[in-house]
Amino acid sequence: MRIIRLTEPQSGLSARCRLIEDAAPESAAFLWDLAERRATFEAMHAIWTGPEISVPMPASTLPAGMAQPAIPAENATSYPETGDIVLAYLAAGSTKGLPPGPFYDIGLFYGGGGRLLMPFGWIQANVCARILDEDLAKAQADCRAIRRNGACTLTIETA
């Protein structure tokens, strides 16, 4: 069982997440690759999807030398649950308004009622990790702090 950690210094977020490698192997491998590189991205509270911290990752923001794979649907949903970590993949040119190249987005869902309805329609994302039960309550409080504070910097690392 591989564990990654999502951290954000201003809110104090430090959530360990178990990769769901059996149901979402390619998505979990993508997150593990990011974690091994200790990748850092700008993140924000989502606008459309409910209780979610969104980590948009245009291909140009991925760490240097990292593969930019086409991620297939695996363990996909439009209704993430509390504690789910999802990976959305949108192929280059598939959606109006995105930067050039492939587009990835990690969603950290910290409450009920999440839905992947975007201004351009419904999408599905792969549930590929889950916040450990013992870290969930603090992660929920920290995500609410991110919502109040605005944009932040989130790091993905090995636990």
Side-chain angles (χ1 to χ4, degrees):
M1 171 173 65
R2 293 198 288 188
I3 305 287
I4 62 170
R5 183 181 301 273
L6 304 176
T7 61
E8 193 283 313
Q10 186 176 0
S11 67
L13 177 67
S14 180
R16 293 172 298 156
C17 308
R18 177 183 55 85
L19 295 177
I20 304 173
E21 297 176 278
D22 55 339
E26 292 186 45
S27 299
F30 185 83
L31 289 187
W32 185 253
D33 193 6
L34 289 171
E36 286 190 313
R37 296 166 187 268
R38 200 172 186 279
T40 298
F41 299 95
E42 290 191 21
M44 74 223 52
H45 196 279
I47 297 170
W48 304 99
T49 56
E52 178 201 5
I53 304 304
S54 174
V55 186
M57 300 176 298
S60 63
T61 67
L62 295 177
M66 185 171 167
Q68 299 174 10
I71 304 288
E74 46 185 20
N75 202 29
T77 187
S78 292
Y79 299 97
E81 297 183 14
T82 303
D84 282 351
I85 307 301
V86 302
L87 177 64
Y89 168 75
L90 298 167
S94 66
T95 305
K96 186 176 180 178
L98 292 179
F103 188 88
Y104 306 87
D105 187 283
I106 296 171
L108 165 53
F109 283 84
Y110 65 91
R115 71 254 170 223
L116 295 174
L117 177 58
M118 306 295 178
F120 49 83
W122 285 96
I123 66 166
Q124 289 195 324
N126 299 335
V127 181
C128 54
R130 182 150 186 79
I131 299 172
L132 297 181
D133 289 343
E134 57 267 32
D135 289 6
L136 184 57
K138 181 179 180 308
Q140 289 175 303
D142 297 338
C143 288
R144 286 190 291 272
I146 292 170
R147 182 178 182 180
R148 287 189 304 275
N149 296 335
C152 64
T153 302
L154 191 135
T155 299
I156 304 159
E157 57 194 350
T158 56

